[in-house]
Amino acid sequence: MADAIQFTLNDKAMTVGDASPAMTLLDWLRESARLTGTKEGCAEGDCGACTVVLEQGVGGRTLCEPVNACLVMLGQVHGRSVRTVEGLRGPDGSPHPVQVALAEGDGTQCGFCTPGIIMSLYAFAAGGEPPEPALIHDALAGNLCRCTGYRPIVEAMARVATLGARQSSDASPLKAAHDAALEWCAAGGPTRFDAPTSLDALLALRHENPAAWLLAGGTDLGLRVSHDRKVPAHVIHVAGVPELQVLSQTGNQLRVGAAVTYARLLPHLEGSLAPFGAMVRRLGSRQIRSLGTVGGNLGTASPIGDSLPVLLALGATVHVRSAMRGSRSIAIDDYFVGYRRTALQADEIIEAIDFEIPETSDIFHVDKVSKRRDQDISAVLGAYRLRVEAGVVRTARLAFGGMAATPARARQAEAALVGQPWAEATVERAAVALARDFQPLDDWRGSAVYRLAVAGNLLRRLHLRTSRPDMAVEVDQL
C-alpha cells in the first residue's frame, strides 16, 4: 500500500510524501510547487481563478476536465494527471494557441483571472465542441472577470474551438500516474487520507472509522478546508470504488452510483429528464460538475442542495450498504430526518441512487430561483412531477429546497391538486396550501414571505407552461 501521493503534473511524474493529503491542490501548487500562475480569488469554487485541468487518456485521446483547485484536496489527485497554466507552453517555451488567442483578442487586462480563463479555454478547445454561443457561455460560467467584459473572451473561445483534443500515449507519464492509482493510505501532519479501490475495503474502513469524512468530489466538503481552514483527522475518498461509479438504465429506471459526477450524468439527462439536465447546468459550472456528485449532495444533505428536491419529485430510492448489515434501500421520502441529518447509520455508505424516468406525458419541471443565474446558491428550488389524465390530476409530487430545514415535499399542496382538474383555480388552492407545508426562515437570500410567494408563483408558472403552450417560451424567461 502506497504511503505517498503520486500523480502527473504538466507531463512530469510526481511523488509527494511530505505534504498533508488534506491541503488544497491550490495551496500545494502555489506554496510547494511554486506554480503561482494558478490564483486564489474566492476559495469557494465560484470565481474560477484557480482553474486547473485534470487529464485522462481515453481511446488514444486526452479527456480534459476543468476543476477548481481550491476545492480539491491533494490526496484526490493521486493517480491523476494535472495541468496548470504553466504546463501549456510548448517545448521551445512558446505560448499555447489559446494563450495567443486571448492575448491578441485583448481579453487579458489585469491578468489575475486570466490563468483560470485560459485553462477553461484549453479544456473547451480539447473537447472539440462547436463554437456555439450557448456552449461557450456554459464553458465560461465558472470564470468571473472584473476587467475586460466577456466579449473578447468569448471571441477567443470561438477562435480556438477547432483545435481539438490532445493525443495521449500509453507510454506517457499520464498512463503511469493512472497505474499508480492503487489502494493506498497517506498521512501528513494530523490527517490520514484513505483512497480505497474496492467496495469491501471502503466498507471495512467505514466500519472502523465512522467519524471519518466521506469524500466524493469535495465541492461541499472542500469548502471546509479551503474556506473554513478545517483540518480533518481522517478522510476516506470514495471516487476510486468501481461499484460507486455505476451509471446504467434498465427499462425506465436510471441507476446512478454515488460517486458518478454531474459531468458524467449530464448526457443521460435528456428527453423527459431534460429539466433535470437544465438544472444541473445551473447547479454549478463545469469546474463544479467535473467533481460534484449526486451521492455527495445526498451525503451532506444541505437544505439548499439543488439535486435533492429533484430526487424527491422523482421518487428516488437511496441504496446504502455497511460491512455488518449488508445493503438496504431507503425511500427518498424517509431519507432526510433533520437539518443535515439523514437516515444513514454511522457505518453506512451511499452506494447508488435509483429514480424513474418520467413518462413523456408526465408534467415534469424544475425551477431554480437565485440572485444570479450561474454559480449561485438557490433561494428556492422547486421540482414537480404530475400525471394528468383527462384533465384531472391523478398523481402529484411537489418538492422544494430552501423552504425548510430539509428538502421536502409540499404534501398539503399535493393534496389540493390530486383528484382535481388541472385548472387555474386548483393551482391557486395549491399555492395557498404551501403556507401550511412550510414556514421558511428569513435570511439574506430571501425573507420567509418572499420564499412563500416565490414557491406559489412557481406553481402558477408551471400551470401556464402546460395550459398555454403558446406562452411557454415567454413564461420560462420570467
Side-chain angles (χ1 to χ4, degrees), residues 121-134:
L121 263 71
Y122 168 74
F124 179 75
E129 296 175 87
E132 297 173 0

Side-chain angles (χ1 to χ4, degrees), residues 57-72:
V58 178
R61 301 181 75 80
T62 303
L63 173 66
C64 297
E65 293 186 303
V67 299
N68 297 116
C70 71
L71 297 181
V72 177

Side-chain angles (χ1 to χ4, degrees), residues 55-228:
E55 299 180 335
Q56 180 178 355
V58 178
R61 301 181 75 80
T62 303
L63 173 66
C64 297
E65 293 186 303
V67 299
N68 297 116
C70 71
L71 297 181
V72 177
M73 295 185 199
L74 186 59
Q76 285 178 261
V77 300
H78 180 71
R80 304 297 301 271
S81 181
V82 179
R83 188 167 301 277
T84 71
V85 68
E86 292 89 351
L88 294 186
R89 65 171 63 97
D92 59 353
S94 59
H96 191 276
V98 299
Q99 294 170 306
V100 173
L102 198 65
E104 291 182 348
D106 296 323
T108 55
Q109 288 203 12
C110 91
F112 189 86
C113 64
T114 301
I117 291 172
I118 287 286
M119 298 312 293
S120 290
L121 263 71
Y122 168 74
F124 179 75
E129 296 175 87
E132 297 173 0
L135 292 174
I136 288 175
H137 287 287
D138 183 67
L140 271 177
N143 294 89
L144 302 181
C145 177
R146 299 177 185 271
C147 296
T148 62
Y150 293 94
R151 181 186 57 77
I153 301 171
V154 169
E155 290 175 350
M157 293 193 81
R159 286 178 59 186
V160 303
T162 57
L163 288 177
R166 293 176 60 247
Q167 301 296 311
S168 68
S169 167
D170 286 346
S172 69
L174 180 70
K175 178 63 163 56
H178 280 278
D179 287 343
L182 304 174
E183 192 169 317
W184 71 292
C185 172
T191 300
R192 172 181 169 180
F193 194 105
D194 283 291
T197 56
S198 71
L199 184 59
D200 286 344
L202 170 59
L203 295 176
L205 279 167
R206 190 53 171 168
H207 176 70
E208 296 165 4
N209 306 278
W213 288 12
L214 283 183
L215 176 69
T219 56
D220 193 345
L221 279 184
L223 284 170
R224 297 173 65 181
V225 174
S226 64
H227 186 270
D228 301 337

